[in-house]
Amino acid sequence: NYLLGALAVFLALVCVALAISNREETVWIVAELVVIVGILALTYRGQKRNWHQRWIDYRTLAEYLRLSRCLVLLGGGNQQKSYEGHKGAYGNPSNTWMFWHYRAIERAAGIPGVKFDTGYLTSCKEIWKEGLVQSQIDYHKSSLLRYVKMDERLHKTGNFLFIATLMVCIVHLVHPWLFHDSGFENIGLKLTLLCAFLPALGAAFAAIRNQSEVQRLAQRSKAMAER
């Protein structure tokens, strides 16, 4: 939606910049209309289908199932979770559909028919160490690198677009003296297009960076891997 918004700005001004008028504008106006309708449709469908809420629910269920692979070795167990702040709407986690589904899978898996002797418990400890602890360390280390790279790319792209806007604005300011006798009468309109589109695109990348919370995710992965 952020990128589509920047595209809508471009489509709104491209006819002015290219001196397109009358019926020739129709294609560009329709294109802008499609983009605006697309933004509204995506927003409406996301709210109607509860995309964000479902993503949180599925992620919660995935965490239940990930830990159950280790807990089932010792007969399973009740995974207690507490929710704070914006997640408080869950109330008692045991009353959610995710917990019910997790328990149904756990019951279907059953209890392992093994003897809980020293050898088995030692094997369980190794599985926990390699299959849970070490895998989480590796996951957060790779996540840290990925999030840092994403943050740097979004940040540098946004900065580049605003610096480019500054340069275009300077050219726009002086172009009447530079191109006064060079036959570039319409260059000012093209510069106006860039002066509007580039910062809109830069703002879109800044919004994507903020919405994705890659900085916070990188810090969390770093702390988790060290812990």
Side-chain angles (χ1 to χ4, degrees), residues 43-223:
T43 303
Y44 174 78
R45 185 165 179 79
Q47 294 175 346
K48 187 73 173 179
R49 298 283 293 170
N50 294 316
W51 282 346
H52 187 254
Q53 184 66 48
R54 288 166 64 186
W55 179 85
I56 295 176
D57 289 349
Y58 298 156
R59 192 70 185 91
T60 302
L61 178 59
E63 283 300 300
Y64 279 137
L65 296 177
R66 182 178 64 84
L67 294 176
S68 69
R69 292 183 301 172
C70 292
L71 292 175
V72 72
L73 299 174
L74 304 177
N78 189 1
Q79 298 181 31
Q80 294 293 341
K81 289 183 180 292
S82 60
Y83 294 88
E84 301 177 357
H86 65 288
K87 297 181 181 179
Y90 282 113
N92 185 354
S94 63
N95 292 332
T96 62
W97 76 268
M98 298 90 71
F99 190 79
W100 172 88
H101 193 69
Y102 150 69
R103 293 291 288 171
I105 294 176
E106 188 178 59
R107 286 193 299 270
I111 298 176
V114 297
K115 183 178 180 181
F116 282 68
D117 54 16
T118 302
Y120 179 75
L121 294 177
T122 300
S123 299
C124 290
K125 184 179 69 173
E126 291 301 318
I127 291 175
W128 275 61
K129 179 181 177 182
E130 297 297 328
L132 180 63
V133 178
Q134 187 59 48
S135 68
Q136 282 295 287
I137 293 173
D138 296 338
Y139 167 79
H140 284 293
K141 284 183 177 179
S142 62
S143 295
L144 172 61
L145 297 177
R146 182 170 65 253
Y147 290 136
V148 168
K149 186 178 294 185
M150 288 173 59
D151 182 61
E152 288 180 350
R153 288 177 177 176
L154 290 171
H155 182 60
K156 289 180 179 179
T157 301
N159 284 348
F160 169 79
L161 289 169
F162 282 109
I163 292 174
T165 303
L166 175 64
M167 298 174 65
V168 171
C169 285
I170 293 174
V171 174
H172 196 187
L173 178 65
V174 302
H175 90 277
W177 292 274
L178 295 177
F179 305 110
H180 182 68
D181 298 321
S182 302
F184 292 97
E185 295 84 1
N186 295 325
I187 194 170
L189 296 176
K190 295 180 175 62
L191 292 172
T192 299
L193 171 63
L194 292 176
C195 287
F197 175 62
L198 290 178
L201 191 59
F205 276 98
I208 292 171
R209 182 188 180 208
N210 180 70
Q211 185 75 19
S212 62
E213 296 185 322
V214 284
Q215 288 179 302
R216 184 182 66 83
L217 292 173
Q219 293 172 353
R220 186 190 66 178
S221 288
K222 182 175 184 296

